[in-house]
Amino acid sequence: MSSFQKTLFVNPPSWQGFDGGAGSRYQAKREVRSFWFPTWLAQPAALIEGAKLVDAPPHDLSRDDVLRIARDQEIVIIHTSAPTLRGDAELAEALKLQNPDVRVGLVGAHAAVLPEETLRASEAIDFVGRKEFDFTCRDVALGKPLAEIDGLSFRRDGQIVHNAERAMIESFDELPSVMDVYARHLEIERYFIGYLKHPYVSHYTGRGCPAQCTFCLWPQTVGGHKYRAKSPAGVAREMAHAQRLFPQVKEFFFDDDTFTAYQPRAREIARELGKLGMTWSCNARANVNYETLKTMRDNGLRLLLVGYESGVQRILDNIKKGIRIEEAREFTENCRKLGITIHGTFILGLPGETPETIRETIEYAKSLDVFSIQVSLAAPYPGTELYRQARENGWFAGDAHLVDEFGQQAAALEYEGLTQAEIFRSVERFYKAYYFRPRPIARMLGEMLGDWDMMKRRLREGAEFFRFLSLRSAGT
């Protein structure tokens, strides 16, 4: 039987509090300290016997800490992103300086779309795993010749070589659970998401999303638009295992791009989770029918993370959202009737945005009045249709960056009649208009008064949120 080389997977340090890897939809530092679990790295790590996983940001690890951990490793695989590539290349150089024999590879959405640019970032980068890189990393760790590994780009005699694409994974039931990797290498109490109970655990039951949203990173770069997922029985087995590993967890989150893409499957999984008696939450589109919502609620569903994006139908059509405003309103009202909490996400600066549409979206969000919201800026990541459109139409601002000097999202786009600075400032205006109202304040106070631990947590998050607003004001 073939043996594996010593392999380390790294979500590297960057800006303090920056969540650039794994499951984050936006590679940025958010309003309050928040981290998703590094599922994208944990899955290939689960395929490689003895592999280690280092998730530096939530564990407050420095570059020196990573170098120390990597000292005796033969292969180091770094999750990179568009905002962090320069720093990740510097980490690769430091690894080579410490151990010239170590082989360094980069993976992630940016590497998948721009493998040649990623390799050219530094001579210290030996290879790039493109697209769905789980088995590509496994083959490297098995010591197979790089030229024989599908899905790999690498250097040979000073030239960059791109091997054939690797076939997408079809049978997710055959993949080992990421939960064992979490248990061995992560301190789960270090992971916070403001709208989830703590401690929580997140992971994927499948990849890909049939929706065609032009801005969404992962389906357009790594996962694809076909939803490939574990069977309901397979999900039930993994979650029962997770309960045994993490009895302290108060909530499990399914981070699939759209867990509710196929509603009969979602209902079947819900019934299995109900038997386990667990509290859980998931991503959902704003078109889930009442029957599915009720079945999920009756079987432990607490919260849905819903991408509303905009309150203007023309903008939703521009980004190929495939949702009608009226449909989203009915869905939201059904959730309210059933007692399902919603964390709604909105994006400012999408194609077709104007000062008036920003005002309309703010008023739309207020009328929905979901429990909590997140406001992001349109992020034209390479590999997305939004990026292509921005290039072709000249929407990139003169000093376009995806993140600012603090690692927080920056406004990269601008349009006729709407400047980059106006889009940037509208985020702060949106948050203040939404949260500084009696009902959101009353909801937060009620939650805090009923739970002393929640009181301490919300006070900490509130301080972080006001620091976030202060930094944004300094950046205008």
Side-chain angles (χ1 to χ4, degrees):
M1 182 177 177
S2 300
S3 60
F4 291 102
Q5 297 179 25
K6 291 182 178 179
T7 304
L8 173 67
F9 290 89
V10 178
N11 183 23
S14 50
W15 296 273
Q16 185 178 12
F18 186 90
D19 188 10
S24 72
R25 292 296 183 277
Y26 290 95
Q27 295 152 346
K29 179 179 179 180
R30 284 181 284 275
E31 301 85 343
V32 299
R33 184 176 171 88
S34 304
F35 294 106
W36 290 104
F37 280 75
T39 313
W40 284 106
L41 292 182
Q43 191 62 77
L47 291 166
I48 300 170
E49 184 179 347
K52 295 181 179 179
L53 170 61
V54 167
D55 192 11
H59 293 84
D60 296 316
L61 298 177
S62 66
R63 180 175 295 181
D64 287 343
D65 293 325
V66 173
L67 290 172
R68 173 179 48 78
I69 296 167
R71 195 176 303 278
D72 65 342
Q73 298 297 300
E74 297 171 279
I75 300 169
V76 177
I77 297 174
I78 299 170
H79 191 284
T80 194
S81 65
T84 64
L85 177 59
R86 183 187 299 272
D88 300 338
E90 292 172 358
L91 174 59
E93 291 164 359
L95 288 163
K96 286 282 191 180
L97 187 64
Q98 173 178 271
N99 177 10
D101 295 327
V102 70
R103 286 201 290 179
V104 179
L106 268 61
V107 297
H110 189 81
V113 173
L114 299 171
E116 188 151 339
E117 177 187 293
T118 302
L119 280 164
R120 293 192 187 282
S122 175
E123 293 288 331
I125 301 169
D126 296 300
F127 64 90
V128 160
R130 306 192 309 269
K131 298 290 180 73
E132 207 165 42
F133 49 80
D134 310 81
F135 287 97
T136 302
C137 293
R138 182 205 61 180
D139 288 350
V140 172
L142 281 169
K144 290 185 177 181
L146 298 187
E148 298 177 9
I149 300 175
D150 286 349
L152 201 75
S153 297
F154 69 103
R155 300 179 189 280
R156 182 171 61 195
D157 301 326
Q159 301 296 314
I160 292 176
V161 178
H162 303 290
N163 295 345
E165 291 290 357
R166 179 175 289 274
M168 301 290 272
I169 300 168
E170 291 296 335
S171 179
F172 273 76
D173 281 325
E174 296 177 7
L175 289 174
S177 174
V178 299
M179 298 299 172
D180 298 284
V181 177
Y182 289 178
R184 286 195 297 269
H185 301 295
L186 307 178
E187 297 177 37
I188 67 167
E189 285 77 12
R190 288 181 173 267
Y191 293 82
F192 285 90
I193 296 293
Y195 46 86
L196 297 181
K197 293 180 179 294
H198 183 262
Y200 87 100
V201 163
S202 66
H203 80 303
Y204 295 91
T205 71
R207 293 183 191 151
C209 179
Q212 302 294 315
C213 303
T214 61
F215 63 89
C216 196
L217 179 63
W218 300 109
Q220 297 185 79
T221 58
V222 178
H225 286 294
K226 179 183 178 182
Y227 186 38
R228 300 155 294 122
K230 290 185 178 181
S231 65
V235 174
R237 286 192 297 272
E238 182 167 30
M239 299 318 296
H241 181 53
Q243 281 185 309
R244 291 190 291 270
L245 286 174
F246 306 114
Q248 74 273 41
V249 164
K250 294 181 180 178
E251 182 164 19
F252 290 92
F253 187 88
F254 298 107
D255 202 19
D256 305 38
D257 288 299
T258 308
F259 182 82
T260 58
Y262 298 115
Q263 295 185 43
R265 174 181 179 268
R267 292 194 296 269
E268 191 173 348
I269 290 174
R271 295 184 188 102
E272 294 294 333
L273 299 177
K275 297 173 187 176
L276 297 173
M278 65 168 49
T279 298
W280 58 282
S281 298
C282 67
N283 289 311
R285 284 167 62 78
N287 62 356
V288 184
N289 63 42
Y290 187 89
E291 176 194 358
T292 300
L293 290 172
K294 186 176 187 304
T295 300
M296 294 195 299
R297 191 282 312 269
D298 290 346
N299 289 280
L301 174 73
R302 186 188 71 85
L303 173 145
L304 293 175
L305 193 163
V306 180
Y308 293 100
E309 324 311 356
S310 174
V312 179
Q313 189 64 54
R314 173 170 50 84
I315 292 179
L316 295 182
D317 294 342
N318 288 345
I319 61 173
K320 301 180 182 179
K321 183 67 181 178
I323 296 287
R324 305 294 300 173
I325 294 288
E326 298 79 9
E327 186 178 29
R329 285 191 184 278
E330 181 182 2
F331 160 86
T332 305
E333 185 57 33
N334 285 339
C335 287
R336 182 173 286 110
K337 290 176 182 176
L338 290 166
I340 298 170
T341 300
I342 293 179
H343 176 76
T345 64
F346 298 85
I347 303 174
L348 298 177
L350 292 166
E353 197 81 273
T354 67
E356 179 57 31
T357 62
I358 290 174
R359 286 191 289 271
E360 289 181 38
T361 294
I362 292 173
E363 291 306 310
Y364 173 66
K366 289 162 62 177
S367 72
L368 294 177
D369 197 38
V370 298
F371 185 84
S372 58
I373 63 167
Q374 176 181 320
V375 184
S376 300
L377 293 162
Y381 288 105
T384 63
E385 186 175 348
L386 179 60
Y387 179 87
R388 178 189 61 78
Q389 291 173 331
R391 291 282 299 269
E392 291 178 356
N393 292 283
W395 294 337
F396 279 109
D399 58 344
H401 296 284
L402 292 172
V403 300
D404 62 19
E405 61 185 300
F406 305 107
Q408 297 177 130
Q409 265 202 307
L413 304 178
E414 61 184 8
Y415 308 98
E416 184 177 352
L418 185 64
T419 67
Q420 174 191 27
E422 288 172 320
I423 296 172
F424 182 84
R425 287 195 297 269
S426 66
V427 171
E428 180 180 351
R429 180 156 57 92
F430 198 148
Y431 274 125
K432 288 180 176 178
Y434 191 85
Y435 279 118
F436 295 175
R437 297 180 298 134
R439 279 185 293 186
I441 292 172
R443 283 197 295 265
M444 292 293 179
L445 287 175
E447 185 185 45
M448 292 164 63
L449 292 173
D451 186 327
W452 175 241
D453 288 336
M454 184 61 74
M455 170 80 77
K456 292 184 289 185
R457 178 181 172 184
R458 292 302 186 215
L459 289 174
R460 172 182 61 78
E461 291 173 345
E464 292 171 352
F465 180 71
F466 282 105
R467 280 198 297 272
F468 161 81
L469 293 179
S470 177
L471 279 174
R472 293 193 66 83
S473 296
T476 57

